[in-house]
């Protein structure tokens, strides 16, 4: 399919469907490009200082990443320039209306292909968001190389691409719908899909896949999922190979906990073998065992930089911060012996929590470093709390909440 056909799709059905009026009541947040995550996984908890922070939203759609990043920057008091780039004039109009509704002035809007980023939006950029774009290009690797050309050597990117196993049934159904309506205009193709979906046999892989649901949300969601002019999916290893070929390396998968073998393997001897694998092979094993990953979200940096790019728990100047403040309801109800439970798209998550979980989490405010946090918890407790005991409990807590994408480290 041609780039023109892909562009025409997003003019007819800008994605995702967004109403600018909703900006008055909610901020859509997520990965990649949540500023807490960007700070933690690309800048070791310390955003660049003394100059304007430059970010490129490469394939901005209706504006989710640009709006979130601009709002976070405003909330942090960060001097930022955010450049939005997208093929679709219609999607750009939605994004601009959302920015206007929030009074955000740090976003500069451009129309064009990410392949032309160097000419349209010259770098260097401290951070580049490319979410849901590479897998729609005729040559995804060329798209990634074009972004590397405008990325600062000390910066990084947040990428999202489709993953194959959680999209079971999507591609055969795409092919079937293409046979039925490829020659028809977009609205007629949507009508055909709406007619076909309710009568698919129970044997159809898409019917048996509970993890995909964009088609239920809107016509734009249906078109993007089942009628897209061009898309492909990447396994962990395929994504890693493309990233490496571009001179980059993966600093982190999001949510990290999904890519840990111990979530899926409980037998000690098997787990021992799994944890002896290199980190990338552990992530690939987790993907193969889980079978439900629809996308891969990664933060990437220049090759050899991940060890210095990711925030270090041993850095005493960094302050833990809760990315999801709704956790405070759980914190207030916490009792020793409780577990952190959740659902990873059908995979049950139950992680035992240390005794001081409630006392520690309730004092995390994004401004208190670990030594000060230790002193505050120790002063409030009925028994002596050594620094070593505090570290052990915080490390266990951190592994769970950071793994779930809820807790990060940064300098205030």
């Amino acid at each position: 399919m041609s780039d023109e056909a892909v562009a025409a799709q997003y003019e007819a059905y800008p994605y995702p469907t967004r109403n600018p009026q909703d900006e008055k009541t909610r901020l859509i947040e997520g990965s990649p490009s949540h500023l807490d995550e960007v700070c933690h996984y690309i800048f070791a908890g310390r955003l660049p200082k003394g100059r304007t922070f430059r970010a490129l939203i490469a394939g901005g759609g209706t504006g989710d990443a640009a709006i979130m990043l601009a709002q976070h920057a405003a909330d942090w008091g960060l001097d930022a320039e955010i450049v939005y780039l997208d093929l679709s004039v219609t999607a750009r109009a939605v994004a601009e209306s959302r920015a206007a509704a929030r009074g955000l002035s740090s976003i500069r809007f451009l129309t064009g292909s990410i392949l032309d980023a160097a000419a349209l939006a010259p770098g260097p950029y401290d951070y580049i968001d490319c979410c849901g774009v590479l897998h729609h290009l005729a040559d995804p690797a060329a798209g990634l190389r074009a972004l590397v050309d405008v990325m600062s050597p000390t910066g990084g990117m947040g990428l999202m691409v489709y993953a194959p196993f959680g999209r079971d049934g999507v591609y055969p159904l795409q092919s079937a719908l293409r046979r039925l309506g490829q020659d028809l205009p977009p609205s007629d193709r949507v009508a055909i899909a709406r007619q076909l979906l309710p009568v698919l046999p129970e044997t159809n892989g898409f019917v048996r896949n509970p993890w995909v649901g964009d088609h239920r949300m809107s016509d734009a969601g249906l078109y993007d999922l089942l009628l897209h002019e061009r898309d492909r999916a990447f396994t962990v290893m395929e994504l890693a190979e493309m990233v490496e070929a571009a001179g980059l390396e993966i600093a982190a998968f999001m949510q990290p906990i999904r890519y840990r073998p111990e979530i899926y393997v409980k037998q000690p001897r098997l787990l021992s073998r799994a944890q002896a694998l290199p980190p990338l092979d552990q992530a690939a094993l987790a993907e193969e065992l889980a079978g439900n990953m629809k996308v891969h979200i990664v933060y990437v940096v220049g090759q050899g930089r991940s060890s210095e790019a990711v925030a270090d728990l041993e850095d005493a100047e960094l302050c833990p911060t809760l990315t999801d403040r709704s956790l405070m309801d759980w914190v207030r109800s916490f009792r020793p012996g409780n577990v952190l439970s959740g659902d990873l798209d059908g995979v049950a998550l139950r992680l035992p929590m240390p005794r001081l979980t409630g006392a520690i989490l309730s004092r995390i405010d994004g401004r208190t470093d670990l030594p000060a946090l230790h002193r505050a918890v120790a002063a409030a407790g009925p028994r002596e709390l050594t620094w070593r005991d505090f570290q052990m409990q915080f490390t266990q807590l951190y592994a769970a909440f950071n793994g779930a994408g809820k807790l990060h480290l940064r300098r205030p």
Side-chain angles (χ1 to χ4, degrees):
M1 294 297 174
S2 67
D3 290 341
E4 291 75 13
V6 174
Q9 169 187 330
Y10 288 115
E11 295 299 344
Y13 292 99
Y15 179 82
T17 301
R18 296 291 183 245
N19 182 351
Q21 294 303 311
D22 291 341
E23 299 304 319
K24 298 175 182 177
T25 57
R26 67 168 181 171
L27 173 65
I28 295 173
E29 297 179 292
S31 296
S33 300
H34 193 292
L35 196 51
D36 277 331
E37 293 178 358
V38 173
C39 184
H40 182 107
Y41 291 111
I42 293 179
F43 299 105
R46 294 171 172 83
L47 290 175
K49 296 173 65 176
R51 59 179 174 81
T52 299
F53 178 81
R54 299 194 72 217
L56 172 66
I57 311 300
T62 50
D64 283 3
I67 298 300
M68 174 178 64
L69 196 55
Q71 186 63 63
H72 286 174
D75 293 344
W76 285 29
L78 180 66
D79 178 21
E81 177 194 6
I82 297 167
V83 177
Y84 163 109
L85 179 64
D86 196 273
L87 280 173
S88 171
V89 174
T90 306
R92 169 180 166 173
V94 174
E96 287 182 301
S97 295
R98 294 175 65 187
R102 285 186 171 271
L104 296 171
S105 59
S106 61
I107 309 174
R108 180 160 59 97
F109 292 91
L110 300 173
T111 300
S113 169
I114 71 168
L115 295 171
D116 301 320
L120 295 171
Y125 291 96
D126 299 295
Y127 175 69
I128 298 174
D129 169 286
C130 189
C131 180
V133 179
L134 295 177
H135 50 232
H136 292 317
L137 299 180
D139 187 346
L144 186 57
R145 289 195 300 271
L147 298 181
V148 171
D149 288 343
V150 296
M151 186 187 85
S152 166
T154 58
M157 303 187 202
L159 309 176
M160 184 278 274
V161 297
Y162 292 147
F165 305 139
R167 287 168 65 82
D168 186 45
V170 168
Y171 295 107
L173 188 53
Q174 280 186 2
S175 180
L177 288 168
R178 200 171 291 120
R179 292 181 193 279
L180 289 170
Q182 184 65 56
D183 58 327
L184 298 175
S187 59
D188 289 346
R189 296 181 66 190
V190 169
I192 286 176
R194 293 289 183 204
Q195 293 173 40
L196 183 62
L197 285 171
V199 297
L200 289 173
E202 292 297 319
T203 53
N204 182 276
F206 186 81
V207 172
R208 291 184 280 110
N209 184 349
W211 317 125
V212 288
D214 274 9
H215 59 298
R216 303 187 189 98
M217 306 299 292
S218 65
D219 284 350
L222 182 146
Y223 211 107
D224 197 73
L225 179 67
L226 296 175
L227 298 170
H228 203 287
E229 298 295 342
R230 183 171 60 213
D231 87 52
R232 61 155 295 182
F234 293 81
T235 64
V236 161
M237 286 303 189
E238 289 169 342
L239 174 58
E241 288 168 4
M242 181 172 68
V243 165
E244 182 179 6
L248 304 168
E249 67 183 22
I250 296 174
F253 288 89
M254 299 302 294
Q255 300 159 296
I257 203 165
R258 289 179 176 268
Y259 294 86
R260 295 178 186 166
E262 62 267 26
I263 300 302
Y264 313 101
V265 179
K266 304 302 181 184
Q267 300 88 342
R269 294 182 67 180
L270 288 180
L271 181 58
S272 177
R273 292 184 63 83
Q275 292 178 327
L277 294 170
L280 194 58
D281 287 274
Q282 291 189 36
L285 176 64
E287 175 188 25
E288 293 157 351
L289 294 177
N292 65 355
M293 295 183 188
K294 306 184 294 292
V295 301
H296 295 306
I297 297 170
V298 293
Y299 287 101
V300 301
V301 295
Q303 284 182 4
R305 281 202 63 243
S306 60
S307 60
E308 66 185 56
V310 180
D312 186 351
L313 195 55
E314 297 299 316
D315 188 337
E317 291 186 352
L318 298 184
C319 303
T321 181
L322 287 171
T323 304
D324 183 357
R325 299 302 301 180
S326 67
L327 280 171
M328 296 314 297
D329 289 339
W330 181 84
V331 170
R332 282 188 282 269
S333 65
F334 179 84
R335 298 291 181 273
N338 285 175
V339 299
L340 177 64
S341 59
D343 179 86
L344 301 177
D345 291 331
V347 176
L349 179 69
R350 289 181 61 83
L351 301 175
M353 289 288 97
R355 174 177 57 85
L356 293 175
T357 292
I360 295 173
L361 287 179
S362 64
R363 290 171 170 81
I364 289 178
D365 57 8
R367 299 182 301 275
T368 304
D369 60 29
L370 289 182
L373 197 58
H374 165 239
R375 291 192 294 271
V377 174
R383 67 182 78 171
E384 180 183 1
L385 177 64
T386 67
W387 171 242
R388 182 174 180 276
D389 288 342
F390 172 82
Q391 281 185 306
M392 291 176 60
Q393 296 213 32
F394 185 83
T395 299
Q396 182 183 353
L397 180 156
Y398 175 83
F401 283 89
N402 175 260
K406 307 294 186 183
L407 178 62
H408 299 93
L409 301 173
R410 72 178 191 220
R411 188 164 186 180

